[in-house]
PDB file of all heavy atoms in Angstrom:
ATOM      1  N   LEU A   1      94.591 101.543 112.556  1.00 94.00           N
ATOM      2  CA  LEU A   1      95.962 102.040 112.698  1.00 94.00           C
ATOM      3  C   LEU A   1      96.776 101.760 111.446  1.00 94.00           C
ATOM      4  O   LEU A   1      97.507 102.631 110.959  1.00 94.00           O
ATOM      5  CB  LEU A   1      96.631 101.411 113.926  1.00 94.00           C
ATOM      6  CG  LEU A   1      98.056 101.872 114.226  1.00 94.00           C
ATOM      7  CD1 LEU A   1      98.107 103.383 114.431  1.00 94.00           C
ATOM      8  CD2 LEU A   1      98.617 101.149 115.439  1.00 94.00           C
ATOM      9  N   ASP A   2      96.646 100.552 110.899  1.00 96.00           N
ATOM     10  CA  ASP A   2      97.371 100.226 109.670  1.00 96.00           C
ATOM     11  C   ASP A   2      96.857 101.039 108.489  1.00 96.00           C
ATOM     12  O   ASP A   2      97.626 101.420 107.601  1.00 96.00           O
ATOM     13  CB  ASP A   2      97.261  98.732 109.375  1.00 96.00           C
ATOM     14  CG  ASP A   2      98.201  97.906 110.239  1.00 96.00           C
ATOM     15  OD1 ASP A   2      99.128  98.490 110.827  1.00 96.00           O
ATOM     16  OD2 ASP A   2      98.009  96.682 110.334  1.00 96.00           O
ATOM     17  N   GLN A   3      95.572 101.316 108.455  1.00 97.00           N
ATOM     18  CA  GLN A   3      95.027 102.178 107.411  1.00 97.00           C
ATOM     19  C   GLN A   3      95.666 103.566 107.475  1.00 97.00           C
ATOM     20  O   GLN A   3      96.008 104.156 106.439  1.00 97.00           O
ATOM     21  CB  GLN A   3      93.512 102.290 107.558  1.00 97.00           C
ATOM     22  CG  GLN A   3      92.749 101.045 107.156  1.00 97.00           C
ATOM     23  CD  GLN A   3      91.259 101.174 107.391  1.00 97.00           C
ATOM     24  OE1 GLN A   3      90.800 102.096 108.047  1.00 97.00           O
ATOM     25  NE2 GLN A   3      90.494 100.235 106.866  1.00 97.00           N
ATOM     26  N   LYS A   4      95.852 104.055 108.676  1.00 96.00           N
ATOM     27  CA  LYS A   4      96.470 105.373 108.861  1.00 96.00           C
ATOM     28  C   LYS A   4      97.917 105.365 108.378  1.00 96.00           C
ATOM     29  O   LYS A   4      98.374 106.304 107.713  1.00 96.00           O
ATOM     30  CB  LYS A   4      96.403 105.764 110.335  1.00 96.00           C
ATOM     31  CG  LYS A   4      96.941 107.151 110.634  1.00 96.00           C
ATOM     32  CD  LYS A   4      96.778 107.493 112.115  1.00 96.00           C
ATOM     33  CE  LYS A   4      97.355 108.871 112.424  1.00 96.00           C
ATOM     34  NZ  LYS A   4      97.209 109.196 113.869  1.00 96.00           N
ATOM     35  N   ILE A   5      98.642 104.289 108.693  1.00 97.00           N
ATOM     36  CA  ILE A   5     100.036 104.179 108.247  1.00 97.00           C
ATOM     37  C   ILE A   5     100.104 104.137 106.721  1.00 97.00           C
ATOM     38  O   ILE A   5     100.949 104.788 106.095  1.00 97.00           O
ATOM     39  CB  ILE A   5     100.700 102.924 108.851  1.00 97.00           C
ATOM     40  CG1 ILE A   5     100.826 103.060 110.370  1.00 97.00           C
ATOM     41  CG2 ILE A   5     102.083 102.688 108.231  1.00 97.00           C
ATOM     42  CD1 ILE A   5     101.308 101.803 111.067  1.00 97.00           C
ATOM     43  N   LEU A   6      99.193 103.372 106.111  1.00 97.00           N
ATOM     44  CA  LEU A   6      99.195 103.261 104.654  1.00 97.00           C
ATOM     45  C   LEU A   6      98.800 104.576 103.998  1.00 97.00           C
ATOM     46  O   LEU A   6      99.355 104.948 102.952  1.00 97.00           O
ATOM     47  CB  LEU A   6      98.243 102.144 104.217  1.00 97.00           C
ATOM     48  CG  LEU A   6      98.366 101.700 102.759  1.00 97.00           C
ATOM     49  CD1 LEU A   6      99.778 101.212 102.447  1.00 97.00           C
ATOM     50  CD2 LEU A   6      97.347 100.608 102.440  1.00 97.00           C
ATOM     51  N   GLN A   7      97.895 105.316 104.601  1.00 97.00           N
ATOM     52  CA  GLN A   7      97.529 106.630 104.073  1.00 97.00           C
ATOM     53  C   GLN A   7      98.710 107.591 104.110  1.00 97.00           C
ATOM     54  O   GLN A   7      98.917 108.373 103.178  1.00 97.00           O
ATOM     55  CB  GLN A   7      96.347 107.193 104.860  1.00 97.00           C
ATOM     56  CG  GLN A   7      95.023 106.499 104.581  1.00 97.00           C
ATOM     57  CD  GLN A   7      93.930 106.888 105.551  1.00 97.00           C
ATOM     58  OE1 GLN A   7      94.147 107.667 106.487  1.00 97.00           O
ATOM     59  NE2 GLN A   7      92.742 106.346 105.353  1.00 97.00           N
ATOM     60  N   GLN A   8      99.491 107.511 105.171  1.00 96.00           N
ATOM     61  CA  GLN A   8     100.688 108.347 105.266  1.00 96.00           C
ATOM     62  C   GLN A   8     101.697 107.957 104.185  1.00 96.00           C
ATOM     63  O   GLN A   8     102.340 108.820 103.568  1.00 96.00           O
ATOM     64  CB  GLN A   8     101.320 108.207 106.658  1.00 96.00           C
ATOM     65  CG  GLN A   8     102.580 109.024 106.881  1.00 96.00           C
ATOM     66  CD  GLN A   8     102.340 110.522 106.823  1.00 96.00           C
ATOM     67  OE1 GLN A   8     101.229 110.985 107.053  1.00 96.00           O
ATOM     68  NE2 GLN A   8     103.382 111.278 106.524  1.00 96.00           N
ATOM     69  N   PHE A   9     101.813 106.662 103.929  1.00 96.00           N
ATOM     70  CA  PHE A   9     102.701 106.179 102.868  1.00 96.00           C
ATOM     71  C   PHE A   9     102.238 106.696 101.504  1.00 96.00           C
ATOM     72  O   PHE A   9     103.046 107.134 100.679  1.00 96.00           O
ATOM     73  CB  PHE A   9     102.738 104.653 102.884  1.00 96.00           C
ATOM     74  CG  PHE A   9     103.452 104.045 101.711  1.00 96.00           C
ATOM     75  CD1 PHE A   9     104.827 104.150 101.588  1.00 96.00           C
ATOM     76  CD2 PHE A   9     102.745 103.368 100.718  1.00 96.00           C
ATOM     77  CE1 PHE A   9     105.496 103.584 100.505  1.00 96.00           C
ATOM     78  CE2 PHE A   9     103.401 102.802  99.637  1.00 96.00           C
ATOM     79  CZ  PHE A   9     104.775 102.914  99.530  1.00 96.00           C
ATOM     80  N   GLU A  10     100.930 106.655 101.263  1.00 96.00           N
ATOM     81  CA  GLU A  10     100.382 107.154  99.998  1.00 96.00           C
ATOM     82  C   GLU A  10     100.706 108.634  99.817  1.00 96.00           C
ATOM     83  O   GLU A  10     101.036 109.086  98.714  1.00 96.00           O
ATOM     84  CB  GLU A  10      98.870 106.933  99.968  1.00 96.00           C
ATOM     85  CG  GLU A  10      98.471 105.471  99.902  1.00 96.00           C
ATOM     86  CD  GLU A  10      96.973 105.274 100.042  1.00 96.00           C
ATOM     87  OE1 GLU A  10      96.250 106.280 100.194  1.00 96.00           O
ATOM     88  OE2 GLU A  10      96.518 104.113 100.002  1.00 96.00           O
ATOM     89  N   TYR A  11     100.623 109.384 100.897  1.00 95.00           N
ATOM     90  CA  TYR A  11     100.954 110.813 100.832  1.00 95.00           C
ATOM     91  C   TYR A  11     102.429 111.014 100.471  1.00 95.00           C
ATOM     92  O   TYR A  11     102.778 111.865  99.643  1.00 95.00           O
ATOM     93  CB  TYR A  11     100.641 111.472 102.174  1.00 95.00           C
ATOM     94  CG  TYR A  11     101.039 112.924 102.267  1.00 95.00           C
ATOM     95  CD1 TYR A  11     100.277 113.926 101.661  1.00 95.00           C
ATOM     96  CD2 TYR A  11     102.197 113.297 102.955  1.00 95.00           C
ATOM     97  CE1 TYR A  11     100.651 115.251 101.731  1.00 95.00           C
ATOM     98  CE2 TYR A  11     102.578 114.626 103.035  1.00 95.00           C
ATOM     99  CZ  TYR A  11     101.807 115.601 102.423  1.00 95.00           C
ATOM    100  OH  TYR A  11     102.187 116.911 102.495  1.00 95.00           O
ATOM    101  N   GLN A  12     103.300 110.194 101.065  1.00 93.00           N
ATOM    102  CA  GLN A  12     104.735 110.304 100.798  1.00 93.00           C
ATOM    103  C   GLN A  12     105.082 109.897  99.374  1.00 93.00           C
ATOM    104  O   GLN A  12     106.097 110.339  98.824  1.00 93.00           O
ATOM    105  CB  GLN A  12     105.511 109.445 101.796  1.00 93.00           C
ATOM    106  CG  GLN A  12     105.403 109.924 103.240  1.00 93.00           C
ATOM    107  CD  GLN A  12     105.947 108.921 104.235  1.00 93.00           C
ATOM    108  OE1 GLN A  12     106.186 107.760 103.891  1.00 93.00           O
ATOM    109  NE2 GLN A  12     106.142 109.355 105.472  1.00 93.00           N
ATOM    110  N   GLN A  13     104.257 109.039  98.777  1.00 93.00           N
ATOM    111  CA  GLN A  13     104.513 108.561  97.423  1.00 93.00           C
ATOM    112  C   GLN A  13     104.166 109.591  96.346  1.00 93.00           C
ATOM    113  O   GLN A  13     104.557 109.435  95.187  1.00 93.00           O
ATOM    114  CB  GLN A  13     103.703 107.283  97.153  1.00 93.00           C
ATOM    115  CG  GLN A  13     104.171 106.065  97.930  1.00 93.00           C
ATOM    116  CD  GLN A  13     105.490 105.540  97.409  1.00 93.00           C
ATOM    117  OE1 GLN A  13     106.546 105.850  97.946  1.00 93.00           O
ATOM    118  NE2 GLN A  13     105.435 104.743  96.366  1.00 93.00           N
ATOM    119  N   GLN A  14     103.433 110.629  96.708  1.00 92.00           N
ATOM    120  CA  GLN A  14     103.020 111.630  95.730  1.00 92.00           C
ATOM    121  C   GLN A  14     104.245 112.249  95.061  1.00 92.00           C
ATOM    122  O   GLN A  14     105.190 112.668  95.724  1.00 92.00           O
ATOM    123  CB  GLN A  14     102.183 112.720  96.398  1.00 92.00           C
ATOM    124  CG  GLN A  14     100.823 112.240  96.876  1.00 92.00           C
ATOM    125  CD  GLN A  14     100.015 113.356  97.524  1.00 92.00           C
ATOM    126  OE1 GLN A  14     100.464 114.491  97.623  1.00 92.00           O
ATOM    127  NE2 GLN A  14      98.809 113.037  97.958  1.00 92.00           N
ATOM    128  N   GLY A  15     104.215 112.289  93.752  1.00 90.00           N
ATOM    129  CA  GLY A  15     105.318 112.890  93.008  1.00 90.00           C
ATOM    130  C   GLY A  15     106.422 111.929  92.647  1.00 90.00           C
ATOM    131  O   GLY A  15     107.289 112.266  91.829  1.00 90.00           O
ATOM    132  N   LEU A  16     106.428 110.720  93.246  1.00 94.00           N
ATOM    133  CA  LEU A  16     107.461 109.740  92.910  1.00 94.00           C
ATOM    134  C   LEU A  16     107.114 109.063  91.592  1.00 94.00           C
ATOM    135  O   LEU A  16     105.950 108.757  91.311  1.00 94.00           O
ATOM    136  CB  LEU A  16     107.591 108.688  94.008  1.00 94.00           C
ATOM    137  CG  LEU A  16     108.139 109.150  95.364  1.00 94.00           C
ATOM    138  CD1 LEU A  16     108.273 107.951  96.299  1.00 94.00           C
ATOM    139  CD2 LEU A  16     109.491 109.834  95.195  1.00 94.00           C
ATOM    140  N   GLU A  17     108.120 108.831  90.777  1.00 96.00           N
ATOM    141  CA  GLU A  17     107.905 108.173  89.497  1.00 96.00           C
ATOM    142  C   GLU A  17     108.186 106.685  89.610  1.00 96.00           C
ATOM    143  O   GLU A  17     109.030 106.246  90.394  1.00 96.00           O
ATOM    144  CB  GLU A  17     108.807 108.800  88.432  1.00 96.00           C
ATOM    145  CG  GLU A  17     108.474 110.251  88.109  1.00 96.00           C
ATOM    146  CD  GLU A  17     109.319 110.796  86.970  1.00 96.00           C
ATOM    147  OE1 GLU A  17     110.180 110.032  86.463  1.00 96.00           O
ATOM    148  OE2 GLU A  17     109.115 111.956  86.585  1.00 96.00           O
ATOM    149  N   PHE A  18     107.474 105.913  88.811  1.00 97.00           N
ATOM    150  CA  PHE A  18     107.680 104.472  88.777  1.00 97.00           C
ATOM    151  C   PHE A  18     109.082 104.165  88.272  1.00 97.00           C
ATOM    152  O   PHE A  18     109.572 104.772  87.312  1.00 97.00           O
ATOM    153  CB  PHE A  18     106.638 103.820  87.868  1.00 97.00           C
ATOM    154  CG  PHE A  18     106.859 102.352  87.655  1.00 97.00           C
ATOM    155  CD1 PHE A  18     106.601 101.447  88.672  1.00 97.00           C
ATOM    156  CD2 PHE A  18     107.327 101.882  86.433  1.00 97.00           C
ATOM    157  CE1 PHE A  18     106.805 100.082  88.470  1.00 97.00           C
ATOM    158  CE2 PHE A  18     107.531 100.523  86.215  1.00 97.00           C
ATOM    159  CZ  PHE A  18     107.270  99.624  87.245  1.00 97.00           C
ATOM    160  N   ASN A  19     109.752 103.209  88.903  1.00 97.00           N
ATOM    161  CA  ASN A  19     111.105 102.799  88.536  1.00 97.00           C
ATOM    162  C   ASN A  19     111.025 101.440  87.863  1.00 97.00           C
ATOM    163  O   ASN A  19     110.651 100.446  88.495  1.00 97.00           O
ATOM    164  CB  ASN A  19     111.992 102.730  89.783  1.00 97.00           C
ATOM    165  CG  ASN A  19     113.454 102.482  89.440  1.00 97.00           C
ATOM    166  OD1 ASN A  19     113.785 102.065  88.334  1.00 97.00           O
ATOM    167  ND2 ASN A  19     114.334 102.718  90.407  1.00 97.00           N
ATOM    168  N   ALA A  20     111.354 101.380  86.598  1.00 97.00           N
ATOM    169  CA  ALA A  20     111.262 100.132  85.827  1.00 97.00           C
ATOM    170  C   ALA A  20     112.499  99.261  85.990  1.00 97.00           C
ATOM    171  O   ALA A  20     112.624  98.236  85.304  1.00 97.00           O
ATOM    172  CB  ALA A  20     111.039 100.449  84.350  1.00 97.00           C
ATOM    173  N   ASP A  21     113.395  99.630  86.878  1.00 96.00           N
ATOM    174  CA  ASP A  21     114.653  98.902  87.044  1.00 96.00           C
ATOM    175  C   ASP A  21     114.979  98.770  88.534  1.00 96.00           C
ATOM    176  O   ASP A  21     115.995  99.252  89.002  1.00 96.00           O
ATOM    177  CB  ASP A  21     115.778  99.628  86.299  1.00 96.00           C
ATOM    178  CG  ASP A  21     117.094  98.866  86.351  1.00 96.00           C
ATOM    179  OD1 ASP A  21     117.063  97.663  86.670  1.00 96.00           O
ATOM    180  OD2 ASP A  21     118.148  99.476  86.097  1.00 96.00           O
ATOM    181  N   THR A  22     114.103  98.094  89.269  1.00 97.00           N
ATOM    182  CA  THR A  22     114.327  97.983  90.713  1.00 97.00           C
ATOM    183  C   THR A  22     113.602  96.761  91.271  1.00 97.00           C
ATOM    184  O   THR A  22     113.022  95.967  90.516  1.00 97.00           O
ATOM    185  CB  THR A  22     113.841  99.256  91.441  1.00 97.00           C
ATOM    186  OG1 THR A  22     114.300  99.235  92.787  1.00 97.00           O
ATOM    187  CG2 THR A  22     112.320  99.356  91.423  1.00 97.00           C
ATOM    188  N   ILE A  23     113.642  96.619  92.584  1.00 97.00           N
ATOM    189  CA  ILE A  23     112.875  95.609  93.294  1.00 97.00           C
ATOM    190  C   ILE A  23     111.834  96.332  94.140  1.00 97.00           C
ATOM    191  O   ILE A  23     112.166  97.234  94.915  1.00 97.00           O
ATOM    192  CB  ILE A  23     113.758  94.740  94.212  1.00 97.00           C
ATOM    193  CG1 ILE A  23     114.866  94.046  93.411  1.00 97.00           C
ATOM    194  CG2 ILE A  23     112.905  93.708  94.952  1.00 97.00           C
ATOM    195  CD1 ILE A  23     114.364  93.030  92.407  1.00 97.00           C
ATOM    196  N   TYR A  24     110.584  95.953  93.964  1.00 98.00           N
ATOM    197  CA  TYR A  24     109.512  96.520  94.768  1.00 98.00           C
ATOM    198  C   TYR A  24     109.053  95.505  95.812  1.00 98.00           C
ATOM    199  O   TYR A  24     108.955  94.306  95.529  1.00 98.00           O
ATOM    200  CB  TYR A  24     108.320  96.925  93.894  1.00 98.00           C
ATOM    201  CG  TYR A  24     108.494  98.270  93.221  1.00 98.00           C
ATOM    202  CD1 TYR A  24     108.801  98.351  91.865  1.00 98.00           C
ATOM    203  CD2 TYR A  24     108.362  99.448  93.949  1.00 98.00           C
ATOM    204  CE1 TYR A  24     108.961  99.583  91.245  1.00 98.00           C
ATOM    205  CE2 TYR A  24     108.521 100.685  93.328  1.00 98.00           C
ATOM    206  CZ  TYR A  24     108.824 100.747  91.988  1.00 98.00           C
ATOM    207  OH  TYR A  24     108.981 101.972  91.380  1.00 98.00           O
ATOM    208  N   ARG A  25     108.764  96.015  97.002  1.00 98.00           N
ATOM    209  CA  ARG A  25     108.265  95.164  98.076  1.00 98.00           C
ATOM    210  C   ARG A  25     106.912  95.661  98.547  1.00 98.00           C
ATOM    211  O   ARG A  25     106.682  96.868  98.649  1.00 98.00           O
ATOM    212  CB  ARG A  25     109.253  95.150  99.257  1.00 98.00           C
ATOM    213  CG  ARG A  25     108.718  94.378 100.467  1.00 98.00           C
ATOM    214  CD  ARG A  25     109.796  93.909 101.407  1.00 98.00           C
ATOM    215  NE  ARG A  25     110.532  94.990 102.036  1.00 98.00           N
ATOM    216  CZ  ARG A  25     111.506  94.792 102.946  1.00 98.00           C
ATOM    217  NH1 ARG A  25     111.838  93.562 103.290  1.00 98.00           N
ATOM    218  NH2 ARG A  25     112.120  95.797 103.486  1.00 98.00           N
ATOM    219  N   LEU A  26     106.027  94.721  98.831  1.00 98.00           N
ATOM    220  CA  LEU A  26     104.726  95.064  99.373  1.00 98.00           C
ATOM    221  C   LEU A  26     104.920  95.831 100.674  1.00 98.00           C
ATOM    222  O   LEU A  26     105.752  95.470 101.506  1.00 98.00           O
ATOM    223  CB  LEU A  26     103.927  93.783  99.639  1.00 98.00           C
ATOM    224  CG  LEU A  26     102.460  93.941 100.036  1.00 98.00           C
ATOM    225  CD1 LEU A  26     101.643  94.482  98.874  1.00 98.00           C
ATOM    226  CD2 LEU A  26     101.894  92.598 100.493  1.00 98.00           C
ATOM    227  N   HIS A  27     104.164  96.903 100.855  1.00 98.00           N
ATOM    228  CA  HIS A  27     104.300  97.695 102.074  1.00 98.00           C
ATOM    229  C   HIS A  27     104.038  96.826 103.300  1.00 98.00           C
ATOM    230  O   HIS A  27     103.194  95.933 103.289  1.00 98.00           O
ATOM    231  CB  HIS A  27     103.341  98.880 102.051  1.00 98.00           C
ATOM    232  CG  HIS A  27     103.608  99.866 103.136  1.00 98.00           C
ATOM    233  ND1 HIS A  27     103.122  99.709 104.421  1.00 98.00           N
ATOM    234  CD2 HIS A  27     104.329 101.022 103.151  1.00 98.00           C
ATOM    235  CE1 HIS A  27     103.525 100.719 105.170  1.00 98.00           C
ATOM    236  NE2 HIS A  27     104.259 101.523 104.415  1.00 98.00           N
ATOM    237  N   SER A  28     104.762  97.102 104.367  1.00 97.00           N
ATOM    238  CA  SER A  28     104.756  96.235 105.543  1.00 97.00           C
ATOM    239  C   SER A  28     103.388  96.052 106.178  1.00 97.00           C
ATOM    240  O   SER A  28     103.114  95.006 106.773  1.00 97.00           O
ATOM    241  CB  SER A  28     105.740  96.778 106.584  1.00 97.00           C
ATOM    242  OG  SER A  28     105.414  98.114 106.922  1.00 97.00           O
ATOM    243  N   VAL A  29     102.489  97.042 106.094  1.00 97.00           N
ATOM    244  CA  VAL A  29     101.186  96.889 106.732  1.00 97.00           C
ATOM    245  C   VAL A  29     100.216  96.074 105.883  1.00 97.00           C
ATOM    246  O   VAL A  29      99.170  95.639 106.386  1.00 97.00           O
ATOM    247  CB  VAL A  29     100.524  98.244 107.066  1.00 97.00           C
ATOM    248  CG1 VAL A  29     101.434  99.110 107.900  1.00 97.00           C
ATOM    249  CG2 VAL A  29     100.077  98.974 105.805  1.00 97.00           C
ATOM    250  N   CYS A  30     100.523  95.887 104.612  1.00 98.00           N
ATOM    251  CA  CYS A  30      99.564  95.261 103.699  1.00 98.00           C
ATOM    252  C   CYS A  30      99.366  93.782 104.016  1.00 98.00           C
ATOM    253  O   CYS A  30     100.309  93.066 104.343  1.00 98.00           O
ATOM    254  CB  CYS A  30     100.025  95.414 102.254  1.00 98.00           C
ATOM    255  SG  CYS A  30      99.944  97.109 101.643  1.00 98.00           S
ATOM    256  N   LYS A  31      98.125  93.353 103.870  1.00 98.00           N
ATOM    257  CA  LYS A  31      97.778  91.950 104.044  1.00 98.00           C
ATOM    258  C   LYS A  31      97.302  91.428 102.692  1.00 98.00           C
ATOM    259  O   LYS A  31      96.401  91.998 102.075  1.00 98.00           O
ATOM    260  CB  LYS A  31      96.683  91.789 105.095  1.00 98.00           C
ATOM    261  CG  LYS A  31      97.121  92.264 106.489  1.00 98.00           C
ATOM    262  CD  LYS A  31      96.061  92.006 107.532  1.00 98.00           C
ATOM    263  CE  LYS A  31      96.477  92.561 108.890  1.00 98.00           C
ATOM    264  NZ  LYS A  31      97.717  91.967 109.394  1.00 98.00           N
ATOM    265  N   ILE A  32      97.914  90.340 102.261  1.00 98.00           N
ATOM    266  CA  ILE A  32      97.623  89.806 100.938  1.00 98.00           C
ATOM    267  C   ILE A  32      97.409  88.306 101.026  1.00 98.00           C
ATOM    268  O   ILE A  32      98.049  87.625 101.829  1.00 98.00           O
ATOM    269  CB  ILE A  32      98.753  90.152  99.943  1.00 98.00           C
ATOM    270  CG1 ILE A  32      98.310  89.935  98.507  1.00 98.00           C
ATOM    271  CG2 ILE A  32     100.031  89.381 100.248  1.00 98.00           C
ATOM    272  CD1 ILE A  32      99.242  90.558  97.473  1.00 98.00           C
ATOM    273  N   ALA A  33      96.482  87.802 100.223  1.00 98.00           N
ATOM    274  CA  ALA A  33      96.184  86.373 100.228  1.00 98.00           C
ATOM    275  C   ALA A  33      95.486  86.013  98.921  1.00 98.00           C
ATOM    276  O   ALA A  33      95.013  86.877  98.186  1.00 98.00           O
ATOM    277  CB  ALA A  33      95.296  86.013 101.424  1.00 98.00           C
ATOM    278  N   TYR A  34      95.420  84.709  98.655  1.00 98.00           N
ATOM    279  CA  TYR A  34      94.697  84.249  97.473  1.00 98.00           C
ATOM    280  C   TYR A  34      93.972  82.946  97.775  1.00 98.00           C
ATOM    281  O   TYR A  34      94.328  82.209  98.708  1.00 98.00           O
ATOM    282  CB  TYR A  34      95.622  84.097  96.265  1.00 98.00           C
ATOM    283  CG  TYR A  34      96.728  83.072  96.404  1.00 98.00           C
ATOM    284  CD1 TYR A  34      96.574  81.770  95.927  1.00 98.00           C
ATOM    285  CD2 TYR A  34      97.932  83.411  96.997  1.00 98.00           C
ATOM    286  CE1 TYR A  34      97.592  80.837  96.035  1.00 98.00           C
ATOM    287  CE2 TYR A  34      98.959  82.491  97.121  1.00 98.00           C
ATOM    288  CZ  TYR A  34      98.788  81.202  96.642  1.00 98.00           C
ATOM    289  OH  TYR A  34      99.789  80.273  96.759  1.00 98.00           O
ATOM    290  N   ILE A  35      92.920  82.699  97.008  1.00 97.00           N
ATOM    291  CA  ILE A  35      92.127  81.484  97.152  1.00 97.00           C
ATOM    292  C   ILE A  35      91.978  80.829  95.788  1.00 97.00           C
ATOM    293  O   ILE A  35      92.132  81.483  94.755  1.00 97.00           O
ATOM    294  CB  ILE A  35      90.727  81.790  97.734  1.00 97.00           C
ATOM    295  CG1 ILE A  35      89.953  82.755  96.821  1.00 97.00           C
ATOM    296  CG2 ILE A  35      90.826  82.350  99.144  1.00 97.00           C
ATOM    297  CD1 ILE A  35      88.519  83.011  97.262  1.00 97.00           C
ATOM    298  N   GLU A  36      91.699  79.539  95.794  1.00 94.00           N
ATOM    299  CA  GLU A  36      91.435  78.820  94.550  1.00 94.00           C
ATOM    300  C   GLU A  36      90.106  78.098  94.690  1.00 94.00           C
ATOM    301  O   GLU A  36      89.956  77.201  95.534  1.00 94.00           O
ATOM    302  CB  GLU A  36      92.549  77.826  94.230  1.00 94.00           C
ATOM    303  CG  GLU A  36      92.344  77.123  92.901  1.00 94.00           C
ATOM    304  CD  GLU A  36      93.522  76.259  92.492  1.00 94.00           C
ATOM    305  OE1 GLU A  36      94.506  76.203  93.246  1.00 94.00           O
ATOM    306  OE2 GLU A  36      93.442  75.651  91.400  1.00 94.00           O
ATOM    307  N   ILE A  37      89.129  78.508  93.885  1.00 89.00           N
ATOM    308  CA  ILE A  37      87.795  77.925  93.901  1.00 89.00           C
ATOM    309  C   ILE A  37      87.424  77.526  92.481  1.00 89.00           C
ATOM    310  O   ILE A  37      87.479  78.359  91.562  1.00 89.00           O
ATOM    311  CB  ILE A  37      86.752  78.925  94.451  1.00 89.00           C
ATOM    312  CG1 ILE A  37      87.151  79.390  95.861  1.00 89.00           C
ATOM    313  CG2 ILE A  37      85.370  78.298  94.460  1.00 89.00           C
ATOM    314  CD1 ILE A  37      87.121  78.292  96.898  1.00 89.00           C
ATOM    315  N   ASN A  38      87.073  76.247  92.307  1.00 88.00           N
ATOM    316  CA  ASN A  38      86.675  75.744  90.984  1.00 88.00           C
ATOM    317  C   ASN A  38      87.729  76.068  89.929  1.00 88.00           C
ATOM    318  O   ASN A  38      87.422  76.552  88.823  1.00 88.00           O
ATOM    319  CB  ASN A  38      85.317  76.326  90.573  1.00 88.00           C
ATOM    320  CG  ASN A  38      84.212  75.919  91.531  1.00 88.00           C
ATOM    321  OD1 ASN A  38      84.212  74.809  92.060  1.00 88.00           O
ATOM    322  ND2 ASN A  38      83.275  76.831  91.767  1.00 88.00           N
TER     323      ASN A  38
END
């Protein structure tokens, strides 16, 4: 379901230009994490 939502977001993003003067937020469905090994 989240993959479907993100695909719809990607479709809506088509044609939009990057804004070098704004605040960007990770899309709400995205899951992000990091690990530290060695």
Side-chain angles (χ1 to χ4, degrees):
L1 182 58
D2 282 344
Q3 287 177 348
K4 183 177 178 181
I5 294 173
L6 193 58
Q7 288 169 358
Q8 180 65 24
F9 171 71
E10 292 173 0
Y11 176 77
Q12 294 169 347
Q13 291 288 97
Q14 292 181 0
L16 292 183
E17 294 185 359
F18 174 73
N19 187 343
D21 184 17
T22 191
I23 302 294
Y24 279 104
R25 175 159 64 178
L26 188 68
H27 191 277
S28 57
V29 305
C30 291
K31 297 184 184 300
I32 195 166
Y34 63 95
I35 60 175
E36 183 173 0
I37 303 294
N38 298 325

